[in-house]
Amino acid sequence: MKVLMLNGSAKPNGNTYAALSEIGKQLEKEGISHEIFQMGGDVVRDCIGCGQCTETGCIFADDKVNEFIAKAKEADGFVFGTPVYYAHPSGRILSFLDRAFYSGGRFFAMITLFQA
């Protein structure tokens, strides 16, 4: 079993990464492998619902969305980590996930989202 974790912070080794690392330690204790995928600090384009998605993902390939979708194909579970600035997930991770779910939805079809 493999869990793919998304670090939605622009800071590769910040608090979000630290939290995901702690989750990863617990997963490893249960015999579950994990990978932390770093979104990076680059601009993330919003999904415009253009319907031009391809077999490899979103038609806009100028960020890491398609790379994340490719890894999602092999994952059995997901953890989405985000900094919380004003009582909600960051806009960057929302844009990222909108595009990932819209263009690669079949790989995320059975997930349940919850916020702790």
Side-chain angles (χ1 to χ4, degrees):
M1 182 172 238
K2 181 171 184 175
V3 172
L4 180 60
M5 296 193 263
L6 177 63
N7 182 355
S9 175
K11 298 177 183 176
N13 295 307
N15 291 333
T16 303
Y17 177 82
L20 291 172
S21 295
E22 288 300 315
I23 294 169
K25 289 177 188 175
Q26 295 305 311
L27 291 171
E28 293 292 335
K29 285 181 183 178
E30 297 295 324
I32 301 168
S33 67
H34 72 283
E35 176 182 353
I36 299 175
F37 184 92
Q38 175 63 39
M39 266 181 53
D42 296 334
V43 174
V44 177
R45 181 190 303 247
D46 287 338
C47 179
I48 59 171
C50 67
Q52 300 297 309
C53 306
T54 67
E55 283 298 313
T56 58
C58 182
I59 194 168
F60 300 118
D62 54 353
D63 56 27
K64 294 184 175 183
V65 170
N66 291 337
E67 184 182 344
F68 182 73
I69 293 170
K71 291 181 178 289
K73 293 176 183 179
E74 308 300 322
D76 299 301
F78 304 94
V79 175
F80 305 110
T82 180
V84 177
Y85 303 118
Y86 297 102
H88 61 79
S90 73
R92 294 179 66 254
I93 197 169
L94 293 176
S95 293
F96 190 94
L97 290 175
D98 279 349
R99 287 190 31 234
F101 293 161
Y102 191 85
S103 61
R106 63 191 176 279
F107 306 114
F108 303 98
M110 301 303 289
I111 66 169
T112 301
L113 298 176
F114 66 92
Q115 185 175 350

